[in-house]
């Protein structure tokens, strides 16, 4: 049984939560490896980017992080208050714990800002949601990361991505790392997801 911790900050993006929830739910049903995805937060209830309220089953402070094989980090938005918790000491400490243990960390969209703030991306390739002249790219680079304008970037144990539309690919890549390429492809096919071309992975997000 593989266990993934999905850490949810207030202001998180619903689509990015759903990608991890569904991909690993399907993997547990039809894949070669059983999975449990556990979500946790810093408070008992959060409001997502677009106003959906969620009850959080687990408080981060109550968990033994050593019991988990990987960390999943959906992103969110500043107007919804995402960075208040995503850049908080407990959130960053959890990232550092998984990084120190050498376990996979999969982040979507602006959650790579938290990785950078945790000090784990220095000298590594990474991406983030950005626009021409945007501050998120500068925030990432200021933490010592090497910014790559690609939809998904892998470097060592870290997966980063450029927006909500990449969330499913991040989840499938994490699934591949925790099981196998064949298993990830099987789950993808059963969910009726197409595989992006190499061109998609190589295409800059801001032209």
């Amino acid at each position: 049984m593989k266990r993934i911790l999905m850490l949810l900050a207030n202001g998180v993006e619903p689509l990015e939560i759903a990608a991890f929830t569904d991909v690993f739910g399907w993997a547990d049903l039809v894949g070669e490896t059983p999975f449990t995805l556990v979500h946790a937060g810093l408070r008992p209830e959060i409001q997502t980017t677009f106003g959906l309220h969620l009850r959080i089953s687990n408080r981060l402070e109550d968990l033994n992080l050593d019991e988990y094989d990987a960390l999943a980090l959906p992103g969110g938005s500043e107007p919804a208050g995402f960075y208040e918790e995503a850049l908080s000491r407990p959130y960053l400490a959890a990232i550092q714990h998984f990084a120190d243990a050498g376990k996979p960390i999969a982040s979507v969209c602006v959650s790579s800002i938290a990785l950078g703030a945790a000090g784990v991306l220095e000298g590594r390739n990474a991406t983030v949601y950005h626009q021409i002249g945007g501050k998120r790219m500068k925030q990432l680079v200021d933490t010592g990361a090497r910014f790559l304008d690609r939809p998904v970037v892998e470097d060592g144990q870290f997966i980063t991505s450029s927006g909500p539309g990449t969330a499913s690919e991040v989840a499938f890549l994490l699934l591949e790392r925790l099981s196998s390429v064949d298993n990830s492809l099987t789950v993808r096919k059963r969910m009726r997801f197409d595989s992006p071309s190499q061109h998609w992975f190589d295409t800059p997000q801001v032209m």
Side-chain angles (χ1 to χ4, degrees):
M1 171 72 73
K2 295 289 182 71
R3 293 168 59 85
I4 302 101
L5 176 63
M6 181 168 60
L7 188 52
L8 304 180
N10 192 55
V12 70
E13 179 98 25
L15 179 61
E16 298 174 24
I17 298 173
F20 289 113
T21 302
D22 275 34
V23 167
F24 284 98
W26 275 82
D28 187 56
L29 285 175
V30 304
E32 65 185 25
T33 303
F35 282 99
T36 296
L37 180 71
V38 174
H39 69 271
L42 305 182
R43 62 175 82 182
E45 184 174 311
I46 62 172
Q47 180 172 298
T48 70
T49 296
F50 301 113
L52 178 68
H53 288 266
L54 298 178
R55 290 184 179 178
I56 304 299
S57 299
N58 302 283
R59 296 288 293 273
L60 177 62
E61 63 187 17
D62 297 330
L63 300 182
N64 179 359
L65 301 186
D66 292 329
E67 296 178 352
Y68 297 89
D69 299 288
L71 178 65
L73 299 174
S77 75
E78 184 170 21
F82 177 73
Y83 298 103
E84 295 172 17
E85 289 190 359
L87 298 180
S88 68
R89 183 172 297 178
Y91 194 101
L92 299 183
I95 292 172
Q96 291 166 343
H97 183 97
F98 280 86
D100 290 344
K103 296 177 179 179
I105 301 177
S107 70
V108 182
C109 197
V110 295
S111 58
S112 58
I113 298 295
L115 294 182
V120 302
L121 292 182
E122 186 169 357
R124 293 185 177 274
N125 296 327
T127 194
V128 67
Y129 182 83
H130 71 106
Q131 301 176 27
I132 294 175
K135 62 182 179 180
R136 300 305 172 205
M137 180 180 69
K138 184 179 185 302
Q139 279 181 285
L140 187 67
V141 171
D142 284 347
T143 68
R146 293 191 298 262
F147 174 76
L148 294 184
D149 188 5
R150 296 292 183 270
V152 179
V153 173
E154 297 182 81
D155 191 329
Q157 73 200 90
F158 304 103
I159 304 170
T160 57
S161 80
S162 62
T166 65
S168 60
E169 291 310 312
V170 171
F172 283 123
L173 284 170
L174 182 59
L175 174 59
E176 179 179 314
R177 289 189 178 211
L178 294 174
S179 55
S180 69
V181 173
D182 287 345
N183 187 50
S184 185
L185 288 173
T186 295
V187 175
R188 179 189 291 275
K189 290 176 181 177
R190 292 291 293 271
M191 293 182 74
R192 305 297 189 258
F193 270 100
D194 288 335
S195 295
S197 66
Q198 188 59 46
H199 175 72
W200 183 85
F201 284 100
D202 293 339
T203 301
Q205 300 297 281
V206 176
M207 306 298 288

